[in-house]
Amino acid sequence: MPTTLEAESTLPERYQTTVPETVRRALRLGKRDKIHYAIWSTGEVVLTRAAAVGKDDPVLGQFLDFLVQDIAKYPERLQPIDMSLVQRGRELTAGIEIDLDAALSPQDEWPRLPNRSGEHARRPPGAHPWLDNLRASPGF
């Protein structure tokens, strides 16, 4: 990947440095934001803005922590994604628009909360035709 911008900073005796303005702007960093460092097996370090995932979703945060540890422990298991798979995903999602900020409808919330009798409500057949088709397919 070609470099489009480079910056340097000095590491003083206390090992603290100032993040250069160009890097702060590129990562949209503000005061008190956290920075994430990924150290690659090649010795390169990738600096990114840390996401605040763990606070909002502790399960997702734990899963991401697991992935970080697993990748660090077994980097040889990483495999590139086949471009035919990427192309197939693009074909399947062509023309689909998603508003990631829109609230989910009650039938799309998962897991469903128990109803008044204490049972988990089931989605009515046809609520998600793709899921009904998947369940009807062999091997499911």
Side-chain angles (χ1 to χ4, degrees), residues 60-137:
L60 181 58
Q62 290 174 2
F63 177 69
L64 294 175
D65 288 343
F66 163 77
L67 287 178
V68 167
Q69 292 171 10
D70 193 62
I71 289 169
K73 190 172 182 181
Y74 305 105
E76 70 278 2
R77 292 183 182 173
L78 291 177
Q79 297 179 7
I81 295 176
D82 185 79
M83 286 309 294
S84 64
L85 180 63
V86 173
Q87 183 58 34
R88 180 71 177 135
R90 287 181 179 151
E91 291 168 3
L92 290 171
T93 57
I96 296 175
E97 293 184 25
I98 298 173
D99 181 0
L100 296 177
D101 295 322
L104 292 175
S105 68
Q107 73 182 32
D108 288 332
E109 289 290 341
W110 191 260
R112 298 295 298 265
L113 297 176
N115 58 22
R116 290 182 185 157
S117 65
E119 298 175 1
H120 282 77
R122 295 190 175 267
R123 291 186 175 135
H128 293 290
W130 61 269
L131 184 56
D132 296 336
N133 292 339
L134 180 63
R135 287 185 178 138
S137 65

Side-chain angles (χ1 to χ4, degrees), residues 43-62:
E44 294 175 286
V45 177
V46 177
L47 176 83
T48 56
R49 183 174 192 216
V53 174
K55 286 189 242 174
D56 297 336
D57 188 341
V59 174
L60 181 58
Q62 290 174 2

